[in-house]
Amino acid sequence: MTTSNYDEIRRVRHEMSAAAGHDVHKLIAAINQLREQHADRIIAPGKAEQCDAPKPPISPLLDGQSTPAAG
């Protein structure tokens, strides 16, 4: 099975969190250090490649209708 970009990002984030002992303060410090070391490789959010993240599920309307009421 092929790993999507989304799955790879989740794996790396989990690995980084585990390396910091799941301590948010240590994790943020590590991320900030990496940001400084790799500043030339950071992509601007508006220019990032499209990720194949799963689409959120379509949820039913609150009142149980299958289509929105005409306004």
Side-chain angles (χ1 to χ4, degrees):
M1 184 165 94
T2 306
T3 302
S4 70
N5 290 345
Y6 183 73
D7 291 335
E8 182 65 6
I9 291 167
R10 290 186 73 219
R11 182 193 67 76
V12 170
R13 287 176 62 187
H14 181 76
E15 188 176 294
M16 290 174 69
S17 180
H22 301 290
D23 179 325
V24 70
H25 299 289
K26 289 179 183 177
L27 178 59
I28 291 170
I31 290 170
N32 286 337
Q33 183 180 15
L34 288 171
R35 182 178 293 130
E36 291 171 10
Q37 290 175 356
H38 301 286
D40 61 321
R41 298 177 63 194
I42 295 176
I43 300 171
K47 299 179 193 237
E49 66 182 62
Q50 292 297 315
C51 181
D52 57 353
K55 304 287 185 266
I58 298 172
S59 57
L61 300 173
L62 296 176
D63 61 0
Q65 295 178 342
S66 60
T67 58

